[in-house]
Amino acid sequence: MRGVVDPASISTEMIQMLAPDGSFVGDGDFEIDLKEEDLRQIYRHMVLARRADQEGTNLQRQGELGVYTPLLGQEAAQVGSAYALSERDWIFPSYRELAVAMYRGIDPSSVMHLFRGTVHGGDWDAREHRFAYYSVPIATQMLHAVGFARAAQIEKSNIVAITYFGDGATSEGDFHEACNYGGVWKVPVVFFCQNNQYAISVPLSKQTAAPTISAKALGYGMPGYRVDGNDVLAVYAVARETIRRAREGGGPSLIEAVTFRRGPHSTADDPTRYRTKEELAAWEAKDPIARFQTYCKNEGVLDDDFIKSCDDEGAQIATNIRASIVGAGPRPAIDLFNNVYEEMPETLRREYKQYEEEQSAREGDE
Ligand SMILES: Cc1ncc(C[n+]2csc(CCOP(=O)(O)OP(=O)(O)O)c2C)c(N)n1
């Protein structure tokens, strides 16, 4: 009808390249420019992330981490999107992006220390890896990404920012503010939603009345893409397109990667209380790594030796994480003073001095 935007007319189809059985279905609107070595590296990164992630859960269950937020099932969404970035682009994650962190060369132990509480905020070098610190307050990182991208735009630096968030985050005011500002100013940012179907125990159907998350893009004057988030090739293709668009001055995009969080929300959560075995089994059958492995084997890109070398590398990473985490003590409290300001203000300097004096008096007493 004239003058009406009808939610019923919004497409709920997903962009897909690989069917769940690993056969190539392609999508005429998107091209894949990946060489065989790229395909192997994408496979490798997904396998390594899954193994490191498993170690996070194991360590929490053994009492070595306070809490952990597993990414099991979301490997394709994370690796496919990260692979499409240039090295100079910046990443603004939430608290589940271990695969993206590892892809950017961050030692997964650094992420685990955050969950052990040995370090506050994270101890990787955000500038070196162009990977900002984890954001636990939902959707706040979206604003950081938009602010950063606006600065990149003013400086004409040709840098794109991508920000990761969940389906629940799209109900936050910060989501609206970030998308609105991004759309108005056409900033070079990609809003990457991992729609993993639940915000802790809240299912998508209770989260939003929108026909899709991607449809929300319309309200901000940007394109919205709905992609099979367990299909690493489709995620890569869509991310590449939106990153290119942002870099060329075309403004932001919203990607909805449709996936499933197969583990608990965090290790403090019991998902059996709000979802069924059947639902989980249906998503296990759409496993992103198995699907891509089948495709790559059929293409003659992956052989058993390479698959084994990835598994061995994953096992070594898990051993290294364990060695770094088990029994690790707290970092010196003085770090709290050192890592806040580039130049310490006078008030803090006084507290620093006081802390040092009290500390040496305490040591004198012992
Ligand atoms: C501002 C804010 N409100 C509430 C919370 C508590 N909380 C932690 S995770 C979460 C659900 C987030 O779900 P979603 O955005 O879908 O991301 P997912 O965890 O599924 O990746 C909530 C409500 C929080 N961390 N921050």
Side-chain angles (χ1 to χ4, degrees), residues 7-248:
S9 70
I10 300 280
S11 165
T12 57
E13 277 177 69
M14 292 187 300
I15 299 159
Q16 197 179 59
M17 297 276 176
L18 299 179
D21 67 2
S23 56
F24 188 80
V25 289
D27 184 308
D29 292 329
F30 294 90
E31 279 172 35
I32 298 281
D33 62 341
L34 297 168
K35 305 199 171 51
E36 290 192 356
E37 185 52 23
D38 292 311
L39 299 177
R40 277 190 286 273
Q41 287 310 318
I42 286 173
Y43 175 80
R44 173 176 163 259
H45 280 289
M46 289 201 289
V47 169
L48 300 185
R50 177 168 291 185
R51 185 63 190 88
D53 182 65
Q54 179 63 51
E55 205 58 17
T57 298
N58 296 352
L59 284 164
Q60 195 283 333
R61 295 300 186 219
Q62 292 161 359
E64 296 291 342
L65 300 182
V67 69
Y68 181 68
T69 47
L71 66 80
L72 178 64
Q74 300 181 211
E75 297 85 353
Q78 296 193 13
V79 173
S81 52
Y83 210 82
L85 294 165
S86 96
E87 278 180 8
R88 297 182 64 233
D89 295 335
W90 267 76
I91 296 162
F92 293 82
S94 70
Y95 43 73
R96 207 183 290 287
E97 277 71 60
L98 182 70
V100 186
M102 288 173 66
Y103 176 74
R104 272 299 173 89
I106 292 174
D107 180 344
S109 310
S110 295
V111 177
M112 301 304 171
H113 276 293
L114 183 64
F115 289 111
R116 187 178 168 87
T118 35
V119 60
H120 296 272
D123 67 351
W124 59 87
D125 183 333
R127 285 204 181 96
E128 181 192 338
H129 300 283
R130 301 195 168 219
F131 185 91
Y133 298 107
Y134 269 20
S135 274
V136 174
I138 304 300
T140 49
Q141 72 279 10
M142 299 183 68
L143 292 164
H144 306 161
V146 168
F148 182 94
R150 174 73 177 129
Q153 181 183 43
I154 291 167
E155 289 178 353
K156 298 190 171 44
S157 65
N158 226 15
I159 292 174
V160 172
I162 188 169
T163 178
Y164 291 87
F165 51 95
D167 37 295
T170 68
S171 302
E172 288 282 356
D174 284 5
F175 167 87
H176 164 68
E177 289 154 24
C179 291
N180 195 56
Y181 192 97
V184 169
W185 290 90
K186 283 194 175 311
V187 306
V189 64
V190 174
F191 297 109
F192 193 92
C193 178
Q194 292 175 85
N195 173 4
N196 65 11
Q197 311 301 328
Y198 287 89
I200 313 185
S201 56
V202 178
L204 189 68
S205 58
K206 289 197 181 144
Q207 189 66 250
T208 179
T212 64
I213 300 257
S214 54
K216 295 191 178 203
L218 290 180
Y220 307 103
M222 59 176 147
Y225 297 77
R226 183 166 153 89
V227 60
D228 182 340
N230 285 14
D231 173 353
V232 74
L233 287 187
V235 172
Y236 168 79
V238 169
R240 177 169 165 263
E241 164 84 7
T242 58
I243 292 162
R244 181 195 55 74
R245 190 169 177 276
R247 205 180 312 284
E248 289 172 3

